[in-house]
Amino acid sequence: MQDEYRNLYYNARRTAGLTQERWAEALGISVESVRLYENGTNMPSDEIALRMAEVAGQQIICYWHLLQKSKAAACLLPQLDKKGLPESVLNLLVKLKDFLHDGMQDLTRIAADGRVDQEERMAYNHAMQQLRELLAAGMCVEYAEEDIG
């Protein structure tokens, strides 16, 4: 996935099906800027990344841009696997079932007294991991590749 982030701007242009010249024109920037983004010399502004996402028709470009640009975002946001819509939905349902079966019950019990006791720590950490996985699965559905027929 890291290669995909590094080549994010090249992949965005290829997804749009445009040459560097047409891509630059669509974004309102120079061809040289496109080249610098694609070879990793420069990083586009958030505004340009938003335009890339609009032109390519893929919101995930903004997500990947944010992960690449911000160390804080990279620590907080989950890494997303590029999957099709059916696989993403099924994965979300599995994660939801797991969380509802174990994690939600543990969190409800632990939160009842407003604190996490030492003996509750392992169950709390496990529930939080399940919750992070559930959130990531939901985001994968949001950004899933649709089979357009």
Side-chain angles (χ1 to χ4, degrees), residues 118-148:
Q118 192 60 34
E119 59 273 1
E120 298 171 327
R121 178 58 57 189
M122 188 182 299
Y124 176 79
N125 289 345
H126 183 258
M128 294 309 296
Q129 180 60 36
Q130 285 182 311
L131 186 56
R132 283 189 291 276
E133 290 173 7
L134 177 60
L135 292 170
M139 292 181 83
C140 281
V141 171
E142 171 75 19
Y143 298 124
E145 293 180 341
E146 298 176 22
D147 184 17
I148 300 172

Side-chain angles (χ1 to χ4, degrees), residues 29-95:
I29 60 176
S30 70
V31 175
E32 182 59 25
S33 292
V34 170
R35 287 188 185 114
L36 293 172
Y37 300 155
E38 290 186 4
N39 71 24
T41 304
N42 281 357
M43 183 173 291
S45 68
D46 292 346
E47 181 180 291
I48 297 296
L50 281 168
R51 277 192 260 159
M52 288 178 178
E54 289 170 4
V55 172
Q58 292 199 341
Q59 289 180 327
I60 197 164
I61 292 167
C62 291
Y63 188 88
W64 287 336
H65 170 78
L66 184 59
L67 285 175
Q68 186 170 322
K69 180 180 178 180
S70 168
K71 289 181 183 180
C75 289
L76 295 173
L77 298 174
Q79 299 293 323
L80 300 181
D81 295 325
K82 206 171 183 183
K83 298 177 183 177
L85 185 59
E87 184 181 1
S88 296
V89 169
L90 291 174
N91 186 52
L92 173 63
L93 293 174
V94 167
K95 299 297 184 187

